[in-house]
Amino acid sequence: MRILIDECVNPRLRQAFPEHEVVTAVTTAWRQIQDHWLVEAIQGKFDVLVTIDRGFEFQHNLNKLTFGIVIVHARRNRMDYYRPLFRELAAAVTRIGPGQVIHVGSSL
């Protein structure tokens, strides 16, 4: 799987996906671009976008996406809050399909 971690997510979350190719938006030219441009840029290049942006799924036409979206619900954007979700995150990226959205974690 080719996974892009959105810039709003702690880039160290890549540790949750050791068996996958992971890129963070922080290390790409896609840093600080608007979501609609990001969606266009990653079409066909990634299988999954991992984000904490809870509105992402409502702002885009999911039927036109070539990648799935995993929305992480962590209390804070720190690794201490992400680590308990690693197993669930790994499972989500392996089963997600294009245009699908999977929420991981609790919505607090």
Side-chain angles (χ1 to χ4, degrees):
M1 284 282 172
R2 295 167 300 164
I3 301 169
L4 177 68
I5 296 179
D6 199 0
E7 73 175 312
C8 57
V9 178
N10 187 321
R12 293 185 305 154
L13 185 61
R14 71 182 310 140
Q15 297 169 11
F17 313 107
E19 298 178 10
H20 301 284
E21 179 184 338
V22 182
V23 174
T24 65
V26 171
T27 62
T28 68
W30 301 321
R31 187 174 188 183
Q32 298 182 344
I33 67 170
Q34 295 178 358
D35 284 347
H36 68 277
W37 294 114
L38 178 66
V39 167
E40 210 171 286
I42 66 177
Q43 288 279 50
K45 294 179 180 85
F46 289 90
D47 302 303
V48 182
L49 171 68
V50 177
T51 186
I52 58 174
D53 182 349
R54 296 176 187 178
F56 203 95
E57 68 183 301
F58 304 110
Q59 299 163 355
H60 306 282
N61 184 346
L62 300 178
N63 294 325
K64 293 185 178 184
L65 298 183
T66 60
F67 58 91
I69 302 168
V70 173
I71 300 175
V72 186
H73 298 266
R75 205 180 287 192
R76 293 200 175 160
N77 196 16
R78 295 178 38 201
M79 290 307 293
D80 293 345
Y81 293 92
Y82 288 125
R83 279 191 191 94
L85 303 175
F86 276 19
R87 179 175 284 158
E88 193 177 350
L89 284 164
V93 300
T94 59
R95 74 176 187 267
I96 199 163
Q100 293 181 329
V101 177
I102 296 177
H103 292 262
V104 173
S106 62
S107 180
L108 299 174

